[in-house]
Amino acid sequence: MGLDIGSVRIGVASSDPDGILATPLTVVRRSDEPAALKALREIIDEYEPIELLIGDPKSLDGAARAAAATALEFARRISVATATPIRLVDERFTTVEAHHALAAAGKNSRQRREIVDAQAAVIILQNALEFEHNTGAPAGRAMPDEESEQ
């Protein structure tokens, strides 16, 4: 399952059982974090993913962006709430790529804003699935401990 954690919304995507194709599931509003965690826990309980692939916010030079600490903290809350293993996957350009794909599909800017996070989660998950199929290695990096560097 892929997650794109934004400051306002969390995009959620899943893959088929064979891990070949990622598809959008939903967008969870983050304004009420306990409610968002509950909604994510329910989705995760329903789909029973083997792991969560969460977008790792980085700048173009690979350094952590300002949003990285907030996203990582929320990812830790998801980990505690669900006990599902988490890997952090590079998410550079995923939102831009998602906007382009949705625009190409004829969605106007208002329509895109509501679903772009789910599409970004699809891109995060699909890229990770393809990396693993091509290399045999898991995509991204394991979520660091709180004491580790972010």
Side-chain angles (χ1 to χ4, degrees):
M1 183 169 282
L3 300 179
D4 178 45
I5 300 175
S7 59
V8 177
R9 292 176 293 273
I10 302 159
V12 183
S14 70
S15 74
D16 62 293
D18 294 323
I20 295 170
L21 182 64
T23 56
L25 280 181
T26 190
V27 174
V28 175
R29 298 242 176 245
R30 195 170 162 197
S31 54
D32 177 353
E33 288 205 2
L37 279 171
K38 181 177 186 260
L40 288 169
R41 188 172 48 247
E42 289 170 358
I43 293 166
I44 292 164
D45 286 348
E46 178 182 347
Y47 283 84
E48 299 179 336
I50 58 172
E51 69 182 347
L52 300 176
L53 298 162
I54 297 180
D56 193 6
K58 301 231 182 241
S59 62
L60 291 179
D61 67 2
R65 291 193 332 229
T70 304
L72 188 59
E73 178 52 40
F74 195 74
R76 283 192 177 102
R77 288 189 199 136
I78 294 168
S79 177
V80 168
T82 66
T84 304
I86 291 177
R87 294 194 62 80
L88 301 175
V89 180
D90 188 348
E91 71 167 20
R92 286 177 280 190
F93 302 114
T94 56
T95 300
V96 172
E97 202 175 321
H99 272 290
H100 287 254
L102 292 169
K107 302 291 184 188
N108 66 36
S109 63
R110 183 179 201 148
Q111 292 168 320
R112 289 194 307 258
R113 186 173 35 249
E114 291 302 312
I115 58 174
V116 71
D117 298 293
Q119 186 64 33
V122 166
I123 294 167
I124 289 167
L125 180 55
Q126 189 67 50
N127 288 344
L129 292 171
E130 289 172 8
F131 179 87
E132 188 165 335
H133 283 287
N134 290 334
T135 67
R141 62 187 176 108
M143 190 163 70
D145 296 329
E146 286 189 58
E147 304 82 42
S148 301
E149 285 194 38
Q150 300 174 13

